[in-house]
Structure formats: structure tokens, C-alpha cells
Amino acid sequence: MLSKLIKYDLKAVSPVLLTIHGAVLILSLLGHFFMSLLHIKPFDTIFSSIYTVTLLTAIGAVALATIVYLGMRYHRNLYTDEGYLTNTLPVTANCHVLSKYLCGVLWSFLDAAVILLCVFIFLNDELFEFCQAVSAYIPANLFLLTIATVILELFISCLSVYCAVGIGNLFHGHRVMGCIGGYVLLYLINQVIGLILAFPFFTNETIRNAESADANSPEVLYEVSQILGRILILSLILSIIIGIIYYIVCVKLLDKKVEMD
């Protein structure tokens, strides 16, 4: 039954998401083609600068639209009149949430892949120079931890939206504002917890004396990279715990909604 739910969810969200991702990919290809034809770079002329800013704005808008649309689909399919019919299926709340989660994770990764592809197509030279500059200062272990943190964020980003939707639907008269408020609240709680847990690392003597020391000395760079590595590891552990909590809350809230129906 889970496979049927996943197939249904993908069929419901994919047409819209494929359209907007395809459109931004076409814009990237067209921009790269015309700038290669004219032998100009993204910020060489007024036209290329405007096009570049427009494209980057469109890429950001697509990323935001993806997560918002997934949240809207989650709300519509589980918490509206359509949800009343959905919840009559012989399927547990856990199965419904898991189906939406797997669909959301798939599209989160597809969204990230399309964004990276668009940036690579349009800003390939600038991206290559940026990667070279970063690799000269960031140790390999720190780079891998950063990549792992980003990947983990893709796994839990849709869960935070789903959890906010579930919280928002507790406010029957103001569900939209409840969803927005729920998301902001969850974000602030995550940030506060992260800052509290990371604060001890920033009181390290190396960080306090960084301004008076030679910031480019190998000893300082090594110690700072070690501290940042520990912070990223802590962030990974915290993200996993938060993701599990989000998932449990989503299931419990949906169970409560089904019982009330």
C-alpha cells in the first residue's frame, strides 16, 4: 500500500514541479548559449548583469516554491476535505506521513540537483574559481562534514514544513497564519538550541585570541578547523534528533486529526 501512496503523491506533485524546474533549466541554457555566442560573462554588461540577477532570483524562487508546494500538498491531501477521504483509506497515519516524506525527500534532492546544474551551466567558470579558492583554505574533513550537513538538511527540510502544517491546523480559524507561525517557531527553536550547544566552542582560547594572532598561521587555522568540525558534527547529531522529533510530531498530529474526524 505504501508504494501506491508514493506513486499517487509523486503523480500529484510532479507536473507542477517538473514545469518550474524545467523552465529555470531552460533559462540557464539560453543564458549560457547567448553569452557564449556574444563572448561575454554574466556581469560584463548591463544586459548580462540583469539576466544573471533575474536567473539567480528565479533559481531561489524555484527552491522556495518547491518546499512551499510540498507543504501545500501535504495540507490539502491530509487536512482538508480531500484529507477526510484520504483518511478513510485502510492506512495508518505513519504510512501517510512516510509516503509524503519520501516524496518530499525525492523532490528536495531533485530540486538541489537542478539548482546545482543551473548554476554550473550558467556560472561554470566562476563556480570553478570559487571551488578552487575554497579548497585552498578548507581541509578535506571539514569540506566533507559540510557536504554531509547539507545532504542531511535535504532529508529533514520537508519534515519541518510538514510539522509546521500539522501545528498550523490546530488553529482552526487561522490555519495559514498558524502554519507560518509554526514554521517560524520551529526555526527559532532550532536556532536557539544550536547556538546554546555551540556556544562553548566559541569560548575556546584560540577563537578569543584570533584577532591578536596571525590568522594565517598553520596552528590557528588548524585549531579553528577542528572547532568548526566539532560544531558540524554536533549540528549533524542535532539535525538527526530534530528530524526524528518532527516525524513523530507529524504522525501524532495526523492521528489526532483522524480521531477527531
Side-chain angles (χ1 to χ4, degrees):
M1 191 64 180
L2 178 61
S3 61
K4 291 182 180 180
L5 286 175
I6 295 173
K7 189 180 296 185
Y8 174 75
D9 288 332
L10 287 174
K11 185 177 180 181
V13 302
S14 294
V16 172
L17 295 180
L18 282 173
T19 300
I20 61 175
H21 284 82
V24 77
L25 187 58
I26 290 172
L27 284 176
S28 299
L29 290 169
L30 287 175
H32 177 73
F33 173 76
F34 283 112
M35 289 186 190
S36 298
L37 191 66
L38 298 173
H39 302 290
I40 58 176
K41 291 187 176 182
F43 293 100
D44 280 354
T45 65
I46 295 178
F47 170 77
S48 64
S49 298
I50 293 174
Y51 193 93
T52 301
V53 172
T54 302
L55 178 61
L56 294 177
T57 303
I59 290 173
V62 166
L64 178 61
T66 299
I67 198 68
V68 170
Y69 186 70
L70 289 172
M72 290 172 59
R73 174 63 191 168
Y74 183 82
H75 166 75
R76 186 185 308 124
N77 190 234
L78 297 178
Y79 287 97
T80 62
D81 292 338
E82 181 182 336
Y84 179 79
L85 296 175
T86 301
N87 292 325
T88 60
L89 296 172
V91 178
T92 62
N94 178 61
C95 199
H96 279 303
V97 174
L98 181 58
S99 171
K100 299 291 187 295
Y101 170 65
L102 293 176
C103 177
V105 167
L106 175 61
W107 265 108
S108 294
F109 275 90
L110 288 174
D111 176 59
V114 171
I115 289 174
L116 287 175
L117 182 59
C118 290
V119 172
F120 178 76
I121 290 172
F122 194 70
L123 301 171
N124 52 354
D125 293 335
E126 290 77 4
L127 184 63
F128 181 73
E129 292 174 2
F130 174 77
C131 290
Q132 279 189 319
V134 168
S135 63
Y137 291 97
I138 298 182
N141 63 329
L142 195 60
F143 178 76
L144 292 176
L145 283 172
T146 303
I147 296 297
T149 303
V150 172
I151 292 174
L152 185 58
E153 181 61 29
L154 293 176
F155 274 102
I156 66 172
S157 59
C158 60
L159 276 178
S160 63
V161 174
Y162 294 166
C163 189
V165 169
I167 293 172
N169 277 276
L170 296 175
F171 304 91
H172 298 291
H174 306 278
R175 292 182 176 179
V176 175
M177 293 304 299
C179 293
I180 296 173
Y183 185 83
V184 172
L185 178 63
L186 292 175
Y187 176 79
L188 290 176
I189 291 174
N190 291 345
Q191 295 304 307
V192 170
I193 293 174
L195 287 174
I196 291 173
L197 294 177
F199 181 76
F201 294 104
F202 289 102
T203 61
N204 187 282
E205 185 177 355
T206 303
I207 299 296
R208 292 200 304 267
N209 298 331
E211 292 184 0
S212 60
D214 182 5
N216 293 320
S217 66
E219 294 80 8
V220 172
L221 291 176
Y222 175 78
E223 187 64 26
V224 170
S225 68
Q226 291 298 305
I227 294 171
L228 292 177
R230 296 188 194 107
I231 292 174
L232 286 174
I233 292 173
L234 178 65
S235 175
L236 286 170
I237 296 172
L238 181 63
S239 295
I240 292 172
I241 295 172
I242 289 174
I244 293 172
I245 293 173
Y246 282 163
Y247 186 88
I248 294 173
V249 171
C250 288
V251 173
K252 294 298 182 183
L253 289 175
L254 185 58
D255 262 332
K256 179 180 178 180
K257 194 264 182 186
V258 172
E259 289 173 2
M260 291 178 62
D261 290 343

